[in-house]
């Protein structure tokens, strides 16, 4: 209620400020010394129009959308035009022939002021003016309603997007854990001395995943997490199975990126590629140029693996996250070429 009162007061002040400026610019040089005297009459006349404007905004528009009562409120609109138009016509008679007007000093070469009378049809003109005020009120109310609906739609869309992103992010962790635990399980089976170190590395990665609640992280943090994941894989696979070239400027490392975005390519390469031999290494390239990020991972596909098998839940998840988070500033390319699976990502803005 208080908010609505403030809106009405603001509209009232804006309405009369406009008409004051209009009358001052158009009449100040005509009535010498009596502008404010006659403007007091115009305040009353224009306030009647303002009542029509408010009636359209807060009474007619909210109810015209009710189908069963639409005819009734159209009748109310016509009644308002007639009643307010008649009131405006009567208000125009006020002070029209008072002393200051009949004795007003006019400019040289002008005739002597005579008693004025409103022309025939003035009441119809007044009603038409009120109809215009009502139409302006309806237009204003429609504009406010459209803005409000647009805000609600955007808020709902944003809420739905955030909910979907949370679901997608929750899908990443179990997927990652399943693969990593399998790797450590393999180390345990062969009684590798690296098992304890692998568990320690896993704990560092889990700390990043579980403690990171922000929507974005620095690119430097994300790269560090990527390096830790690669180091964890090296406990199982030979040293030469990965060739990486990470070349990022200091400034771009300070920029933010959605968490767990870079890991998918590498995880997919280890899961579906031939990564246990040094002669078929996984190639990782991460660089920046002119504020853009370029990321590419290439791995050889095994003989029994088809193109479809490389498109697991991780890449589908990544594709959807990119569509939600970077709808117009990313380019994702996934392809199979000469027995290799190539994944490319270009982010044009971070």
């Amino acid at each position: 209620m208080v908010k609505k009162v403030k809106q009405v007061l603001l509209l009232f002040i804006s309405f009369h400020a406009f008409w004051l400026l209009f009358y001052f610019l158009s009449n100040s040089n005509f009535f010498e010394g009596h502008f404010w005297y006659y403007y007091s009459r115009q305040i009353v006349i224009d306030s009647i129009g303002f009542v029509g404007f408010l009636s359209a905004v807060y009474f007619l528009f909210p109810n015209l959308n009710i189908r069963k009562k639409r005819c009734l409120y159209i009748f109310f609109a016509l009644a308002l035009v007639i009643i307010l138009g008649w009131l405006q016509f009567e208000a125009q008679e006020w002070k029209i022939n008072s002393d200051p007007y009949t004795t007003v000093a006019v400019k040289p070469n002008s005739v002597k002021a005579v008693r004025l009378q409103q022309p025939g049809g003035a009441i119809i003109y007044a009603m038409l003016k009120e109809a215009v005020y009502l139409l302006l009120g309806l237009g204003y109310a429609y504009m406010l309603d459209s803005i409000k609906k647009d805000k609600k739609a955007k808020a709902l869309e944003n809420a739905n997007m955030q909910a979907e992103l949370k679901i997608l992010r929750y899908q990443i962790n179990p997927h990652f854990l399943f693969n990593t635990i399998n790797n450590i399980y393999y180390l345990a089976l062969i009684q590798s001395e690296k098992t304890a170190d692998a568990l320690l590395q896993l704990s560092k990665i889990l700390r990043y995943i579980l403690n990171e609640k922000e929507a974005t992280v620095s690119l430097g943090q994300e790269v560090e997490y990527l390096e830790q994941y690669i180091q964890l894989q090296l406990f199982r696979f030979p040293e030469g199975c990965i060739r990486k070239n990470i070349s990022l400027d200091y400034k771009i490392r300070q920029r933010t990126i959605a968490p767990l975005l870079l890991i998918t390519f590498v995880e997919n390469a280890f899961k579906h590629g031939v990564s246990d031999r040094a002669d078929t290494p996984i190639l990782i390239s991460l660089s920046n140029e002119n504020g853009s990020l370029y990321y590419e991972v290439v791995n050889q596909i095994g003989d029994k693996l088809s193109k479809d098998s490389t498109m697991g839940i991780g890449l589908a998840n990544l594709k959807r996250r990119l569509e939600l988070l970077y709808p117009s500033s990313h380019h994702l390319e996934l392809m199979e070429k000469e027995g290799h699976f190539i994944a490319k990502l270009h982010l044009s803005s971070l």
Side-chain angles (χ1 to χ4, degrees), residues 71-342:
C71 292
L72 179 62
Y73 286 100
I74 290 175
F75 169 78
F76 283 146
L78 293 174
L80 279 170
V81 168
I82 294 171
I83 294 170
L84 295 176
W86 176 79
L87 286 174
Q88 187 179 113
F89 174 78
E90 291 297 323
Q92 287 173 165
E93 294 285 348
W94 178 49
K95 291 187 177 183
I96 198 171
N97 287 296
S98 55
D99 287 341
Y101 198 99
T102 54
T103 59
V104 68
V106 295
K107 289 186 173 182
N109 303 321
S110 300
V111 296
K112 185 178 180 180
V114 295
R115 184 176 181 82
L116 298 181
Q117 185 177 356
Q118 293 193 77
I123 190 169
I124 302 299
Y125 177 71
M127 290 179 182
L128 288 175
K129 284 177 67 177
E130 287 303 321
V132 170
Y133 279 121
L134 256 66
L135 290 174
L136 287 173
L138 289 173
Y140 176 77
Y142 179 80
M143 179 188 70
L144 290 182
D145 186 64
S146 297
I147 293 173
K148 188 182 296 183
K149 287 180 179 178
D150 187 54
K151 285 183 178 179
K152 286 183 178 179
K154 287 183 178 179
L156 180 61
E157 182 182 356
N158 184 61
N160 290 338
M161 185 185 76
Q162 293 302 323
E164 185 175 355
L165 282 172
K166 286 183 180 179
I167 293 172
L168 292 171
R169 190 165 170 181
Y170 290 148
Q171 287 177 351
I172 294 173
N173 297 349
H175 187 231
F176 161 78
L177 285 174
F178 179 78
N179 294 335
T180 306
I181 290 173
N182 277 345
N183 293 340
I184 296 176
Y185 176 70
Y186 170 79
L187 292 176
L189 282 178
I190 63 175
Q191 298 181 351
S192 172
E193 296 179 354
K194 299 178 180 179
T195 304
D197 291 335
L199 285 171
L200 180 61
Q201 195 69 30
L202 176 60
S203 69
K204 293 179 181 179
I205 293 175
L206 288 178
R207 188 177 295 112
Y208 175 79
I209 295 175
L210 298 177
N211 291 342
E212 187 51 62
K213 302 297 182 183
E214 299 297 327
T216 59
V217 296
S218 71
L219 180 58
Q221 287 178 283
E222 187 69 4
V223 171
E224 183 181 352
Y225 166 65
L226 181 64
E227 297 267 22
Q228 289 173 346
Y229 178 85
I230 294 172
Q231 185 62 39
L232 184 62
Q233 299 302 320
L234 290 177
F235 285 118
R236 177 181 176 184
F237 300 108
E239 185 72 29
C241 72
I242 295 177
R243 295 179 187 175
K244 57 186 175 74
N245 179 23
I246 298 177
S247 177
L248 297 173
D249 295 341
Y250 174 79
K251 288 184 178 180
I252 201 168
R253 285 177 178 266
Q254 308 307 310
R255 297 185 185 180
T256 57
I257 190 174
L260 309 175
L261 204 64
L262 302 180
I263 190 63
T264 305
F265 284 178
V266 176
E267 187 179 12
N268 184 77
F270 276 107
K271 183 178 180 182
H272 298 291
V274 180
S275 53
D276 57 350
R277 300 200 313 266
D279 60 337
T280 59
I282 295 173
L283 306 178
I284 302 171
S285 174
L286 183 62
S287 61
N288 67 280
E289 184 178 347
N290 298 325
S292 295
L293 187 70
Y294 296 89
Y295 183 40
E296 180 178 347
V297 176
V298 181
N299 63 272
Q300 186 172 345
I301 302 174
D303 296 334
K304 296 182 180 180
L305 293 177
S306 66
K307 180 180 179 181
D308 291 337
S309 69
T310 64
M311 297 293 289
I313 185 175
L315 291 178
N317 188 317
L318 174 66
K319 184 177 180 181
R320 183 57 182 156
R321 291 182 76 206
L322 288 169
E323 289 173 353
L324 292 172
L325 294 168
Y326 305 96
S328 58
S329 58
H330 84 277
H331 177 70
L332 178 65
E333 189 175 356
L334 306 172
M335 59 182 173
E336 183 182 354
K337 185 178 180 181
E338 299 177 353
H340 289 80
F341 185 75
I342 304 171

